[in-house]
Amino acid sequence: MRTAQKNSSLRRKLALIIGNENYSALHNRLNHSINNARDLNELLKKIDFDVTMYIDADSNMMLKIQRFSKRISNGDLVLFYFSGHGYEVSGKNYLIPVDDTKIKTDIDVEDIGINLQSVLERLIERNSSYVTILILDCCSLYWLKPPTTSNSIVHDKGLSKIQPPSGTFIQFACAANQTIDDSGEKQRNSLFSKHLIRNIARKNINVTDVFRDIAKNVYLESNSVQKPLSMNGLDQHDGVFLNAVSSIIPNIPYDTVWKSKAKTIAGIRGPGPALTALHFPKGIFVNKKQTVFIADSSNNRIMKYNRGVIAGKIVAGKNISGYGSDRMWEPSNVIYDEQSKSYIICDYQNRRVLRWASRSSTFTEELITNKECFGLAMDDEGFLYVSDTELHEVRRYRTGERYGTVVAGGNGQGSRLKQLNHPTYIFVGPDQVVYVSDTWNNRVVKWEQGAKEGIIVAGGHHKGKDETQLFHPAGLIVDRLSTIYVADYYNHRVMRWYKDASHGHIIAGNRYLPGNNANKLNGPEGLAFDQHGNLYVADSNNHRVQRFSIRNI
């Protein structure tokens, strides 16, 4: 299992952007601030930030900041960006509003300017458990009096370094006590904000690495004149990502429609032990190359099917059941861990979870033993989740753990919200939310992190075949819109339930009738999406895996 990291893309992301350019004092007007703000605004929206932007904020700027801060909830990722003039007085930093004609002395700055420490306190007071990022492009010279007068005063020290609170990352466009004259610069953006916009949306890059690269690029392009300053209050072990793209949670558009007829991509001659056959396939896993890994249950093996190839390859186990180092007994689920290049397998009847290295003829490690495991899931932080059909619970296992932590169920067999009844397939969503196919309760239940009981999100109206019901739910996927996709085993269909919907609708299979035609299913089990949104179904009683392509492809 991988080292844990904070997956910021799965949290709510809020940004406040202020671009101050048209200062009342004509000699302090800027060239880039509005473009800086607008361009960053558009970019952050593309990576799922909820952005509030103000252009040319006046002395009411602190009220705007306070209004924004009231929207912050604990656990949000908060970003504050200011492009405009900054000024330091007696070690305190101030952001200058555009109505600055009354500023003639340091005392005026203290009266009219916005104290940066007060801004920071506002942003973090409601967000103690996650990350706040401040970005200040305040390098330009600020004149207290017009530069044409004999007693002109310019503040040439820049902003002073501050101690970042825990959970806060701060970057200034210039080093402490430094300013630059960019009045002759004719580019659309200031040098710092140009590199900020180029780098800030990079996928799956730790925020500290992003801002390190920004600082490096600014320093090089300015011929060592401008050196941005970073102040890091993040724990050195934290991984914080502004644009983390989940490898687990699929991105399926809301109105996606799949073709009614599927293509058989594995098991064209089942049931049987041949490489072109399957025998009651259960859990499936699809990687970025559209390679399909299958828990070929009654053949006691894990199969790998490359795209477009009708004969699979045995990658773990044999066609004989057993407890040996090279055998399994009715494996129910498989995950391929790209980082470790190994398979994680639920060896169901042998009551264990195995790690099986790629290209190995025997398993590498028994991760968990003496568990009637059925479902497997791994979150973006690398933690493993296992459903137990004997103890009616789901446990999360951190690296090296043998016993894990109960995250769903664990209160005996039953139908109360704090209980599960034969949990099978599982899926882990944002913030380690666990979704469970509570099979014998004919429902899908969602368990928030730390919850004492679950929430029914699909089914739950006894077994049945109408659109409010499920009949032994099996394979389970939840996309980024919290839409639920579930294999409805005894209804021989795959259902889609939109978030908070009272009922689902069929997206694969033909009503509730079994069959072996291209538009029918018979006992669907495992589900998977590829990166294009095509739907894969382990059509278990037909001993095949079907791919339902998106209709417009």
Side-chain angles (χ1 to χ4, degrees), residues 255-275:
D255 56 354
T256 298
V257 177
W258 291 267
K259 294 179 180 179
S260 61
K261 293 184 178 181
K263 179 180 180 180
T264 300
I265 55 92
I268 62 171
R269 290 184 175 87
L275 296 180

Side-chain angles (χ1 to χ4, degrees), residues 69-231:
S69 70
K70 291 179 180 179
R71 299 182 54 216
I72 299 171
S73 298
N74 201 23
D76 289 342
L77 173 61
V78 179
L79 185 149
F80 173 74
Y81 169 85
F82 177 82
S83 181
H85 281 302
Y87 196 96
E88 177 266 331
V89 179
S90 301
K92 296 181 180 180
N93 296 317
Y94 294 87
L95 307 181
I96 307 300
V98 291
D99 49 347
D100 66 331
T101 51
K102 294 182 180 180
I103 296 179
K104 307 295 183 183
T105 66
D106 287 356
I107 295 176
D108 298 328
V109 171
E110 293 180 291
D111 289 340
I112 298 173
I114 308 301
N115 188 307
L116 181 59
Q117 186 63 35
S118 297
V119 173
L120 184 56
E121 290 171 358
R122 282 289 181 178
L123 296 177
I124 67 176
E125 66 180 347
R126 297 163 63 94
N127 187 34
S128 61
S129 69
Y130 204 57
V131 173
T132 302
I133 298 171
L134 274 77
I135 310 168
L136 303 182
D137 193 350
C138 299
C139 265
S140 301
L141 299 170
Y142 185 73
W143 297 85
L144 293 178
K145 293 183 179 179
T148 55
T149 62
S150 58
N151 62 345
S152 298
I153 301 174
V154 59
H155 177 65
D156 58 1
K157 293 183 179 180
L159 299 178
S160 63
K161 186 175 182 179
I162 61 178
Q163 182 62 40
S166 176
T168 302
F169 185 92
I170 302 171
Q171 188 163 62
F172 292 167
C174 287
N177 306 318
Q178 183 190 33
T179 56
I180 59 171
D181 182 2
D182 65 348
S183 59
E185 180 63 54
K186 300 301 182 182
Q187 302 298 318
R188 176 176 176 81
N189 302 110
S190 64
L191 178 60
F192 172 78
S193 288
K194 178 179 74 173
H195 287 287
L196 173 73
I197 292 164
R198 285 180 179 178
N199 284 275
I200 200 169
R202 290 162 60 194
K203 297 178 181 178
N204 297 326
I205 305 296
N206 194 318
V207 66
T208 54
D209 293 332
V210 168
F211 284 99
R212 178 202 62 203
D213 291 346
I214 292 169
K216 177 182 177 181
N217 293 338
V218 170
Y219 184 69
L220 291 174
E221 188 170 338
S222 67
N223 294 318
S224 307
V225 173
Q226 184 176 345
K227 186 177 182 180
L229 173 66
S230 297
M231 291 151 281

